[in-house]
Amino acid sequence: MVGIVLVSHSAALASEAAALARGIAGDEVPVLGAGGTEDGGLGTSVDLVAAAVEAADGGDGVLLVPDLGSSVLTARLLEEPGRVVLADVPFVEGAIAAAVAAGAGGSLADVLAAAEEARAFRKT
């Protein structure tokens, strides 16, 4: 199953968004949060994100969903074409769409495409 790592400046935001995505898609879907710094501050840590990628990788690839700014730059450092890919999508909506697609057995390309469709979700 494709793993998903939510990369945020805030550990709490990443963790709660991951819990929401798993709550909707199913607890078996490997959605992990990687936020904040090693000392608990705001920011992003390439080491924390790399550890989350390793933990989420079940062999079918990992989708990185960053929030903004340096989390995007950090995620880009870990991209590996065909194995670890970055999704330029809305953070919460993209995470949930990706998790649902991963839970349904989608390939890495399918999970990325589902996350990208979240860009067009309307709320009105």
Side-chain angles (χ1 to χ4, degrees):
M1 183 178 301
V2 172
I4 300 160
V5 175
L6 307 182
V7 184
S8 175
H9 288 74
S10 164
L13 177 60
S15 176
E16 289 300 321
L20 176 63
R22 284 191 310 274
I24 292 171
D27 285 330
E28 70 282 358
V29 180
V31 183
L32 290 108
T37 59
E38 285 86 352
D39 64 0
L42 290 177
T44 54
S45 162
V46 71
D47 292 333
L48 292 177
V49 178
V53 167
E54 185 70 27
D57 190 0
D60 294 319
V62 176
L63 185 71
L64 300 173
V65 180
D67 60 3
L68 53 95
S70 66
S71 67
V72 176
L73 299 175
T74 300
R76 284 182 182 162
L77 292 173
L78 297 169
E79 282 185 294
E80 294 180 35
R83 182 179 157 315
V84 179
V85 298
L86 175 69
D88 180 12
V89 300
F91 190 67
V92 174
E93 294 90 338
I96 292 169
V100 169
S107 67
L108 183 56
D110 295 335
V111 172
L112 175 59
E116 288 174 339
E117 287 178 16
R119 182 174 303 285
F121 291 169
R122 302 231 1 123
K123 296 178 184 173
T124 60

